[in-house]
Amino acid sequence: MGSPGIQPDIIRFGPFSLDPDSRELRRRGHLVRLHPQQCAVLLLLIERAGQIVSREEIHQRIWGNDTFVDFEQGINFSINQIRAALGDNADRPRYVETIPRRGYRFIALVEVNPSGELAEEPTPPNWRLKSPAWVRFAVLAGFILLIGAALFRYGGWQTRRSPPPEPGSLVRVGAGIQAAGSESPAGPGSPAPDVMPLTSDPGDEKQPGFSPDGNQVAYAFNEEGASHYHIYVKTIGSEEAVRLTSGSYDDMSPTWAPDGQSIAFIRLGSGSNVSVMLVSASGGNERKLASISFNLLHTDDTRVSWSPDGNWIATTDGNFSAVYKLILISAKTGEKKNLNYETSRSYTDSEPSFSPDGRYLAFARHISPQVSDIFTLEIPHEENARVEARQLTKWNRWCGNPVWSADGQEILFLRNEARGGSRIWRVAAFRNEDARLVENIGESTTSLAFSPQSNRLVYSKGASDLNIWRMSLNSTSSGVTPNHGVTATRLIASTRIEEQPQFSPDGRLIAFASDRSGDAEIWIANSDGSGQHPLTRLSATISAGHHWSPDGKEIVFHSRPTGDANLYIVNVQTGAYRQLTTGRTDNYIPSWSHDGEWIYFGSDRDGTEQIWKMPASGGAATRLTKDGGAFALESPDGGQIFYTKTTDLGLWMLDLESGAESKIEPNTVGFLCFAIGKRGIYFEHPVEGSGFAISFMSFSDHVVRDLAIINASVGDGLTVSPDERSIVYSQIDHAGNDLFLVDNFK
């Protein structure tokens, strides 16, 4: 029985303890924040340990019949948050197992007394109403049987084991990959690394950076309900986090000075303007060090790194040329120093990380937002000396966020997996060796940091759920007005990413992009959201940027089967496709002219991002814009194109006869943010606080009218039905990261 002074109804499993009365979850004594509703779900699963709990039962118990919410989404979110708090993984669960199409099951050994032994009378924890004695006895007997079944089936503390590998095959062990038959450095059957939540506040916590002694972590945090990211610092072992910055823009990517006195960070301004800022590690006034320009496609990839000698801060800048490349900024004066190395106008070099000796930079070179590899660069000893970048990975996937090992011989980085999100990998910095997966930790990692002094690793883990929504409009002969009596409804949804909706010319179908099959493909659905099925099966890094032909028989899109983006046309009925462009340049986000003769598209084929057009049947392309462009749509009369850029927010117009280019709307969000109707342009723009607005600009008077304010983060894509009575758009229904800490990482 329990020790004196400790209440016997504390529930224990693994390193966790849960008080059902106060609903406090603790891990080895440290409080783990969990929302009361999510705690109630966890308690229900533990109460039924070893049994399948259906989603309907969770609905009835937690929400009831009188609560009108989207409980399906609520259950998904609660289970994800519970797993995040427990450091659990859906693919290899230790606590909460998903039973497909049936529900969930709690599979860990549960103790209802504080000792290390099973209770003699493991009565159900007293969060339930007291029952008659015979009922309590029946529940007790059932609970013992369930624990016994769980021990028999799941081996108590151990997860289910895979069959032994065949000799000579490769198996993933601990923090690397080794040949079968050889012994893990930690010994056979070594446990998974001890991972504990560092943060669990509602919101988005990411881009961590260690203090020089490895005892504090700075990170970017967008608190739930807030409109901007700010820099916070948390001491490991403490429950409190201290907010350092308070700007009216997003503050990202904190990095510590080697003396631990200051923190440099990125402040995202309007458009492509970015400031490199400094603030004391204990808080106080913020100081602008320098201004840089960044690519709007790589907002999360714009990072800073402080050199070990404290003299320089490395980052990315597009001001030296049209190329987004690595530069150094003096930490004392803010003076910029160009690094003389070979790059390309079509690449963006970002996410620099200084080696421990300060001689090298590791960085990610992006061909596109979805394709990048890890490189290293030796910092020249002499002014303007030319150096060569060395490529370490060669995958047609996104790789990023490189950080160095303590001895400077290896680089940890993230790689996006087709069906499992991003994972942590490691690669030799100076030897020609294959990269190795870091096993047992880091599933769905979005950013990471490593402390050589304390051998600690911290990473952010989370997910984004983008779905497609519909909003009705009042469309009359005099114009379009909001329909205040109708709220937006979710149209196409999954637990993955659904975006870039496009109505067919007759309004019966919607094409959209989804990664629900693992790879990003183009899907088709009926206009009411039913009948969803994949149209493309290219298994490329991404297939998207699609647009219907005027007759509705074909769709033009871009895809990256080998890394570079090229244009394809697919038959909607048969799925047969033909390639429209070839080569090693990027050609993307195409659209059809109204007469079906031409394809407009963005391309960097002449070294800068511009709008081009080419015959829909194939042939030579003609450049249209002079000052940049990425995504274009033709006006109803065919006399103009309207377009956006990745280098500057706003909406532009090009007169196809005169060639005149003009900015007609400065206030947009993203670049797949507008659609053309018969009477005007529908577009998305930011609003004060959180969310975004959908607005309408009439061709007749050019007056902008807000149609709706959406209280969610904007996704990619906007389309209007042919009768202009519906707008369909993508929004982020859920996005969030928590930080996790690994001690003694090797």
Side-chain angles (χ1 to χ4, degrees):
M1 296 300 292
S3 303
I6 301 178
Q7 294 186 12
D9 60 354
I10 298 297
I11 303 164
R12 300 179 185 276
F13 54 95
F16 296 95
S17 62
L18 178 62
D19 186 332
D21 291 330
S22 65
R23 300 202 170 182
E24 287 186 345
L25 176 68
R26 294 183 178 273
R27 188 182 193 277
R28 295 196 172 99
H30 295 289
L31 184 66
V32 178
R33 289 188 175 89
L34 197 63
H35 190 278
Q37 189 176 76
Q38 295 148 22
C39 192
V41 175
L42 177 59
L43 284 168
L44 173 59
L45 295 175
I46 292 174
E47 175 193 339
R48 300 277 302 282
Q51 285 185 318
I52 298 173
V53 181
S54 70
R55 294 174 66 87
E56 178 61 28
E57 186 173 350
I58 296 174
H59 171 212
Q60 295 293 334
R61 180 76 166 267
I62 307 303
W63 282 274
N65 288 325
D66 298 329
T67 304
F68 297 97
V69 299
D70 185 354
F71 75 89
E72 290 287 345
Q73 189 76 6
I75 292 174
N76 292 339
F77 180 71
S78 294
I79 295 295
N80 288 338
Q81 292 298 103
I82 290 170
R83 283 178 171 145
L86 301 179
D88 204 9
N89 178 265
D91 296 327
R92 292 183 295 277
R94 289 181 291 172
Y95 301 106
V96 179
E97 180 185 31
T98 299
I99 310 299
R101 295 179 296 277
R102 297 182 65 188
Y104 304 95
R105 174 165 47 201
F106 195 84
I107 60 175
L109 177 64
V110 177
E111 301 174 358
V112 292
N113 77 335
S115 73
E117 302 172 354
L118 287 174
E120 296 176 18
E121 296 179 350
T123 55
N126 64 2
W127 66 84
R128 298 295 303 271
L129 295 174
K130 298 297 183 181
S131 304
W134 69 271
V135 174
R136 293 201 300 272
F137 178 80
V139 172
L140 165 62
F143 193 60
I144 292 175
L145 289 174
L146 291 175
I147 291 177
L151 286 169
F152 175 78
R153 182 169 183 178
Y154 302 108
W157 299 100
Q158 298 177 348
T159 57
R160 288 167 288 177
R161 299 184 180 275
S162 303
E166 297 180 3
S169 65
L170 289 179
V171 295
R172 296 161 178 167
V173 181
I177 300 176
Q178 77 182 56
S182 63
E183 193 171 284
S184 165
S190 59
D194 192 13
V195 180
M196 64 179 296
L198 181 64
T199 66
S200 56
D201 296 308
D204 193 19
E205 298 146 321
K206 61 182 182 180
Q207 297 183 356
F210 274 106
S211 60
D213 61 6
N215 292 324
Q216 293 178 290
V217 176
Y219 56 96
F221 179 32
N222 186 5
E223 191 173 3
E224 188 175 63
S227 56
H228 296 293
Y229 287 87
H230 298 290
I231 304 302
Y232 284 71
V233 169
K234 186 171 187 178
T235 300
I236 294 173
S238 170
E239 293 301 321
E240 297 301 320
V242 178
R243 176 171 163 175
L244 297 187
T245 66
S246 56
S248 56
Y249 294 101
D250 288 330
D251 295 335
M252 314 294 292
S253 181
T255 182
W256 294 73
D259 62 8
Q261 298 301 305
S262 301
I263 292 175
F265 63 95
I266 291 288
R267 174 161 289 169
L268 302 178
S270 59
S272 59
N273 297 316
V274 170
S275 298
V276 178
M277 306 289 293
L278 297 178
V279 66
S280 169
S282 58
N285 293 329
E286 305 151 15
R287 177 170 68 89
K288 181 177 177 179
L289 182 65
S291 295
I292 60 174
S293 177
F294 79 112
N295 192 319
L296 293 174
L297 291 174
H298 298 283
T299 302
D300 281 349
D301 305 319
T302 303
R303 306 285 180 89
V304 287
S305 177
W306 213 312
S307 64
D309 62 10
N311 292 328
W312 300 98
I313 293 173
T315 188
T316 301
D317 191 15
N319 284 329
F320 272 108
S321 62
V323 181
Y324 292 95
K325 60 181 298 185
L326 304 181
I327 66 163
L328 300 179
I329 300 174
S330 170
K332 296 179 181 178
T333 67
E335 177 186 359
K336 296 181 184 179
K337 179 180 179 181
N338 187 28
L339 291 175
N340 187 10
Y341 69 100
E342 183 179 359
T343 183
S344 169
R345 290 179 181 271
S346 61
Y347 297 155
T348 293
D349 293 343
S350 63
E351 303 178 277
S353 175
F354 274 103
S355 61
D357 61 8
R359 294 177 54 196
Y360 297 89
L361 285 173
F363 64 96
R365 173 165 288 176
H366 295 259
I367 298 175
S368 79
Q370 296 83 22
V371 180
S372 54
D373 277 299
I374 303 301
F375 285 71
T376 58
L377 181 74
E378 185 174 11
I379 298 173
H381 300 290
E382 299 178 1
E383 190 75 20
N384 295 323
R386 188 169 180 82
V387 293
E388 300 296 327
R390 180 172 180 265
Q391 187 169 359
L392 303 186
T393 65
K394 295 181 180 180
W395 287 322
N396 184 27
R397 292 281 170 193
W398 178 88
C399 299
N401 201 163
V403 296
W404 293 80
S405 62
D407 61 5
Q409 297 301 304
E410 285 192 319
I411 294 171
L412 298 170
F413 66 97
L414 302 182
R415 177 197 174 188
N416 188 46
E417 309 292 329
R419 288 168 170 76
S422 295
R423 298 289 301 274
I424 303 174
W425 290 68
R426 65 200 317 162
V427 66
F430 305 108
R431 302 185 304 275
N432 292 323
E433 296 180 1
D434 291 336
R436 298 169 293 150
L437 176 68
V438 176
E439 187 58 272
N440 295 322
I441 62 170
E443 293 88 351
S444 301
T445 297
T446 56
S447 55
L448 78 158
F450 176 68
S451 169
Q453 285 72 25
S454 63
N455 282 329
R456 284 169 166 157
L457 179 78
V458 64
Y459 62 90
S460 60
K461 175 182 177 180
S464 294
D465 184 18
L466 280 76
N467 295 306
I468 293 172
W469 291 66
R470 180 201 292 271
M471 180 182 67
S472 297
L473 298 174
N474 288 328
S475 183
T476 65
S477 58
S478 59
V480 180
T481 59
N483 187 345
H484 296 291
V486 178
T487 58
T489 57
R490 197 163 56 181
L491 183 66
I492 298 171
S494 74
T495 57
R496 302 296 293 270
I497 293 177
E498 321 294 328
E499 60 182 357
Q500 300 182 18
Q502 285 289 313
F503 270 111
S504 61
D506 61 8
R508 296 190 306 108
L509 300 174
I510 294 175
F512 63 99
S514 174
D515 69 347
R516 63 177 73 179
S517 64
D519 295 300
E521 303 280 7
I522 298 170
W523 288 58
I524 299 290
N526 296 321
S527 61
D528 62 359
S530 64
Q532 301 171 25
H533 64 277
L535 175 63
T536 63
R537 301 179 186 272
L538 294 179
S539 298
T541 305
I542 188 169
S543 297
H546 42 279
H547 195 265
W548 293 82
S549 62
D551 60 10
K553 295 180 179 179
E554 295 179 310
I555 287 177
V556 62
F557 64 99
H558 75 253
S559 185
R560 295 181 178 273
T562 60
D564 300 294
N566 276 296
L567 305 185
Y568 297 78
I569 292 178
V570 60
N571 185 290
V572 176
Q573 292 297 321
T574 67
Y577 65 90
R578 57 187 172 93
Q579 190 167 347
L580 201 58
T581 65
T582 59
R584 297 303 307 273
T585 59
D586 275 347
N587 307 281
Y588 41 80
I589 322 177
S591 66
W592 236 294
S593 64
H594 291 295
D595 60 11
E597 297 294 322
W598 298 95
I599 301 291
Y600 300 102
F601 62 100
S603 179
D604 62 0
R605 57 180 56 202
D606 71 346
T608 60
E609 180 186 81
Q610 305 291 346
I611 302 296
W612 295 67
K613 76 171 184 177
M614 67 180 297
S617 57
T622 303
R623 175 173 158 173
L624 298 179
T625 59
K626 302 180 183 66
D627 296 323
F631 169 50
L633 293 174
E634 191 181 69
S635 63
D637 62 6
Q640 300 88 28
I641 59 169
F642 300 95
Y643 60 98
T644 54
K645 305 177 182 181
T646 63
T647 56
D648 194 8
L649 295 175
L651 185 62
W652 280 260
M653 182 182 72
L654 169 69
D655 186 280
L656 293 175
E657 182 175 350
S658 67
E661 302 175 25
S662 58
K663 192 173 190 177
I664 61 172
E665 171 56 48
N667 194 24
T668 61
V669 54
F671 61 97
L672 290 176
C673 61
F674 74 101
I676 305 294
K678 297 181 180 66
R679 295 185 293 264
I681 303 172
Y682 301 83
F683 65 95
E684 298 164 330
H685 69 82
V687 295
E688 194 68 29
S690 60
F692 63 99
I694 297 178
S695 299
F696 175 76
M697 178 191 292
S698 171
F699 288 137
S700 60
D701 57 16
H702 304 290
V703 173
V704 174
R705 302 173 178 87
D706 285 345
L707 302 180
I709 305 296
I710 309 298
N711 293 315
S713 297
V714 65
D716 255 354
L718 176 75
T719 186
V720 60
S721 62
D723 61 6
E724 298 186 50
R725 294 185 179 275
S726 295
I727 287 179
V728 174
Y729 59 93
S730 176
Q731 72 177 43
I732 302 174
D733 287 336
H734 167 68
N737 289 272
D738 290 313
L739 299 183
F740 291 83
L741 178 69
V742 183
D743 272 320
N744 299 315
F745 178 81
K746 297 178 181 179

